[in-house]
Amino acid sequence: VRTPRPERPLNQATILDVVGSRVYFTADDGAHGVELWKTDGNPAATQLVADLTPGPGGSDVVFGQPSGDGLYFVARVAGVPDILWHTRGTAASTFPIAGTSDVFGGLAFRGGLFWVAEPAEGVSALAWNDGTTDGTRILFQGARAPSSSPAGFVATPKGLLFVADDGVHGGEVWRTDGRRSGTRLLADLMPSNDGLLPRLFSSRDGVFISTVDFALGEGQTVQWSDGGSEPPRLLLRYPELSYAQGFVETGAGTSFFLERGNSGSGLELWGSDGTVSGTGSLAVIDPDPEPSHQIFATAGPEPGIATFLFQVNTSTIDRPSALFETDGTSGGTRELGRPAFIDNSTTVLGLVSAAGQSFLLLLDYGSQSASKLWVSDGTAAGTRELFRIDNPFGHSFISDLVPAGDRLYFIGDEASGGRELWVTDGTVEGTARVANIAPGSAGSAPSDLFAFGNRLFFGADDGAHGRELWVTDGTAAGTRQIEIRPGPRGSYPQAFAAIGDHVVFAADDGVHGLEMWESDGTTAGTRLVADVMPGPLGSCPAGFTAFGADLFFSAGRPNVGYELFRVPMSILDAQSQNQEARR
C-alpha cells in the first residue's frame, strides 16, 4: 500500500487493527517518524492520522483496540509511557484520555473500552472510558492480596524445598517438614534482593540451588542442600561465572554447564556429587568465550548417561554443533559426532533421549524453511530424518517432544489432518499420527503433554466438547476422551503431576472452577480431589509435589493470595471422601 506521495515510501509498517473499512497501522514515511496511519487499500486514502510527536522523532504505539467507530491505542509520546488515546481517523478527533497511565490489556464494549489500571502501587482497578477525553470511570478497585507465590517445589527425604517471598527477604528458598511450625526460611541467599529468583534442581540426594545477586561482588553461586534444616553448602562462587544451566543426573552425580567469560576458558561441563571436593570441571566444551552458544541436555538413553548438544549460534566460525554424552566423569565425557545435518542455516530447538536414541527438533531457515524431527544414535548410519513440516512460518511447527515408555510423542501437522498428536519409535515406518481427534484440517491442537508410564495424558479440542482430558497408549484404538465438563466449553486440564499411581492435575468442571483432580486414565477413575476455593472461581492449583504423607501445591484464595497448601495423600484414594485442603 502506497501513499499519494511516492517519494515518501512507508517503512516499518505494523498493522494495529480494523475499524469498519479502515485499516489502522503504524509506519514511518521518512518525515514524521513512526506514527499512526490509516488506509482502505487505495493510495489516495492512505493518510497520516496524527503526528503525535511532531517532527521526525516518531511515537511508539504498542496496542490497538477497535470500539464502535473509533480506535483506542496506547502510545508513548514525548517520553510519557503508556498513555491511552482515542481516534476516529482524523487529527482533530485524536486525543489522549486523561489519567490512563499503566494500561494493561483492553476489551471493547458498546463503543467504549474496559481495561485494567493500576492507580497506585499494589492496587488493581477496572476502568471504563466512553470514547471521550474526560469519560473515564473506575468501576472497581482493590488492593492485591500479599501472596508469597510458592513455586519450584523439590522433595527430598529430609524436607520439601521451594521458592517463596515472605514480603521481607524477597524471593528466597524455604523449607518445610510438612508442619506449619516446621516451615521456615532455609537461608537468605540473596540479601540485596537485587537478582534473579533462586533456581532449584533436584539431584539424587538433595537439591542444587543456583543464585544470581547483581549487587554482590561474588556474582553467581551454586549451592547444595540435602533438604534438611542446615544452611545449604556453598560449592561455587565466582564473579566471572554466568548462570549455571543444564543440570542433569549422571552415574557419578550431577552434571551442569558454566561459562567463564572473563577467564577465557569458555563454556565448561562440570560435575558434582554435592560436596566441595566432589565438584569440578569435567571438560571444556567451547574454548572460545566470544561466540554465543546454547546447550541442550537430557537424561541419556542408558542409565547413568547424560546426552547434550552444544550449538554455536554463529555462521562466522568453522565449528559446527556437536553431540556429546557423559557419565559425570572426565574420562566418561566424549563427543559422539558433529551432525552434518546441522549447518549454518539450521537451529536446534530441542533434544530428548528415548528408546536408546537422541531425538532432535530442528528449524531449517535456509532457502526452503522447514521444521524437522531427526533421530541419532551417534553414528552416521543411525542418523535420519523422521518427520518434517515445510514452510512452518506459514503453517505450523513441530513441538512438545515427550518420551513415554519406548516411544516419543510430539505435536505434528499435515495438510489433511491439522495439528494433532504424533508418535515415533525412532524409525520412519514407526512415525505416524496417533489419532485424528478433530477431523478436518484444523486439528485438535494438543497441549500439556504428560507421560505416565507407557501412556500419555494431554488436553485436546475435538471441536465438539472443548479442550478436555485425553489419554492414549499410542494407538488410535487406545486413544479416548475423558469429559470433565459436559458441553462445548471444555475443562482445560493442566499442571499434570505423577503422584504414586495417580495423575494429579488442575481442571474446571464448570461448577468448582479450576481445582485439583485425579485420574487413572478412565472416566470412572477421574474425580475432583479438593475444592480449595469453594464456588465457581477456582484456586488455580499448580506445582503438585508429594512429601511424606502429604501432597503440597500452590493455590490462591481471595484476600490470601497464592500460598502453600497441603492435603493428605490418603485423599487420592478413590474410596476416600472428598476433603477440603487445609492451608
Side-chain angles (χ1 to χ4, degrees):
V1 175
R2 292 183 170 85
T3 71
R5 301 186 62 176
E7 73 275 12
R8 289 186 178 175
L10 297 177
N11 298 305
Q12 303 183 56
T14 301
I15 295 175
L16 290 179
D17 222 308
V18 178
V19 178
S21 62
R22 298 171 180 166
V23 173
Y24 284 91
F25 64 100
T26 58
D28 183 359
D29 66 352
H32 300 90
V34 177
E35 293 287 359
L36 182 64
W37 289 69
K38 66 177 182 180
T39 185
D40 65 2
N42 297 308
T46 302
Q47 301 172 0
L48 176 70
V49 174
D51 190 10
L52 303 180
T53 300
S59 304
D60 186 9
V61 180
V62 295
F63 163 81
Q65 176 69 62
S67 185
D69 61 350
L71 177 79
Y72 286 92
F73 61 96
V74 174
R76 296 187 177 101
V77 178
V80 180
D82 296 346
I83 297 297
L84 186 65
W85 292 66
H86 186 271
T87 186
R88 286 185 169 86
T90 65
S93 67
T94 303
F95 55 84
I97 297 174
T100 58
S101 61
D102 296 324
V103 175
F104 300 95
L107 175 67
F109 183 72
R110 294 182 179 176
L113 186 75
F114 287 108
W115 75 93
V116 178
E118 286 191 353
E121 185 177 356
V123 176
S124 183
L126 178 65
W128 159 260
N129 179 267
D130 61 5
T132 63
T133 186
D134 56 356
T136 300
R137 290 177 291 162
I138 299 296
L139 304 180
F140 173 83
Q141 180 172 307
R144 294 174 179 169
S147 301
S148 69
S149 302
F153 301 98
V154 177
T156 73
K158 293 187 176 182
L160 177 74
L161 300 189
F162 58 97
V163 177
D165 185 348
D166 63 352
V168 177
H169 300 89
E172 289 287 359
V173 179
W174 286 68
R175 174 192 178 271
T176 184
D177 60 6
R179 302 171 299 162
R180 185 189 299 269
S181 60
T183 303
R184 67 174 184 84
L185 183 70
L186 181 66
D188 193 359
L189 304 180
M190 298 189 299
S192 73
N193 291 336
D194 182 18
L196 305 178
L197 287 176
R199 296 175 297 154
L200 306 183
F201 302 91
S202 176
S203 68
R204 186 176 303 130
D205 302 312
V207 181
F208 285 91
I209 305 170
S210 176
T211 65
V212 180
D213 194 328
F214 298 125
L216 297 180
E218 291 85 357
Q220 296 80 21
T221 67
V222 177
Q223 305 185 54
W224 185 86
S225 171
D226 62 2
S229 58
E230 295 297 318
R233 179 186 302 145
L234 179 63
L235 302 178
L236 294 168
R237 173 183 282 153
Y238 290 119
E240 71 271 18
L241 289 179
S242 69
Y243 313 137
Q245 58 179 308
F247 285 78
V248 63
E249 283 294 283
T250 64
T254 301
S255 290
F256 56 95
F257 299 89
L258 290 170
E259 181 179 350
R260 291 212 233 181
N262 294 339
S263 66
S265 59
L267 184 71
E268 297 181 0
L269 173 69
W270 283 62
S272 177
D273 60 3
T275 67
V276 176
S277 61
T279 301
S281 178
L282 303 179
V284 176
I285 305 303
D286 179 15
D288 184 352
E290 294 302 323
S292 61
H293 42 234
Q294 286 180 296
I295 286 290
F296 297 89
T298 180
E302 303 297 332
I305 299 296
T307 301
F308 63 93
L309 185 134
F310 163 67
Q311 176 176 247
V312 178
N313 292 327
T314 179
S315 59
T316 61
I317 59 175
D318 185 22
R319 189 167 65 253
S321 304
L323 194 65
F324 293 80
E325 71 174 19
T326 182
D327 62 3
T329 66
S330 298
T333 301
R334 65 188 185 94
E335 181 179 322
L336 296 178
R338 299 175 180 256
F341 57 87
I342 303 178
D343 54 26
N344 290 338
S345 66
T346 303
T347 296
V348 180
L349 300 180
L351 170 68
V352 172
S353 289
Q357 303 168 98
S358 297
F359 294 86
L360 298 97
L361 179 59
L362 309 174
L363 172 61
D364 186 343
Y365 49 90
S367 58
Q368 182 177 357
S369 63
S371 178
K372 304 176 181 179
L373 179 66
W374 280 68
V375 66
S376 177
D377 61 3
T379 67
T383 301
R384 56 193 169 274
E385 181 179 292
L386 299 175
F387 184 78
R388 68 185 288 151
I389 299 174
D390 290 320
N391 187 27
F393 295 99
H395 193 52
S396 70
F397 292 81
I398 303 169
S399 65
D400 299 71
L401 308 185
V402 176
D406 58 354
R407 288 177 289 186
L408 178 78
Y409 291 90
F410 64 95
I411 299 175
D413 201 340
E414 59 181 357
S416 60
R419 197 159 174 78
E420 293 285 3
L421 182 67
W422 285 65
V423 67
T424 181
D425 61 2
T427 67
V428 176
E429 300 77 16
T431 303
R433 183 177 62 192
V434 174
N436 192 9
I437 294 175
S441 59
S444 65
S447 63
D448 301 273
L449 276 59
F450 180 75
F452 187 64
N454 292 322
R455 294 179 296 170
L456 188 82
F457 287 72
F458 61 101
D461 187 347
D462 65 356
H465 301 88
R467 187 160 297 278
E468 279 292 358
L469 177 65
W470 288 74
V471 63
T472 184
D473 62 1
T475 67
T479 302
R480 57 183 176 275
Q481 181 192 78
I482 300 174
E483 189 176 20
I484 293 174
R485 182 173 186 171
R489 296 286 296 275
S491 64
Y492 286 84
Q494 56 192 273
F496 291 94
I499 308 295
D501 57 356
H502 303 267
V503 171
V504 178
F505 59 99
D508 183 356
D509 63 358
V511 177
H512 301 89
L514 194 66
E515 292 289 0
M516 181 165 60
W517 286 68
E518 69 165 318
S519 178
D520 62 0
T522 67
T523 300
T526 301
R527 68 183 189 93
L528 179 71
V529 174
D531 190 8
V532 177
M533 174 59 198
L537 293 181
S539 66
C540 304
F544 303 110
T545 305
F547 173 68
D550 292 310
L551 174 62
F552 291 81
F553 57 96
S554 171
R557 282 178 173 169
N559 303 320
V560 174
Y562 284 86
E563 296 293 348
L564 181 64
F565 286 77
R566 67 184 172 101
V567 295
M569 292 285 288
S570 59
I571 203 172
L572 298 181
D573 184 352
Q575 303 302 318
S576 67
Q577 297 295 318
N578 184 37
Q579 307 172 40
E580 180 179 346
R582 61 185 184 274
R583 183 180 166 212

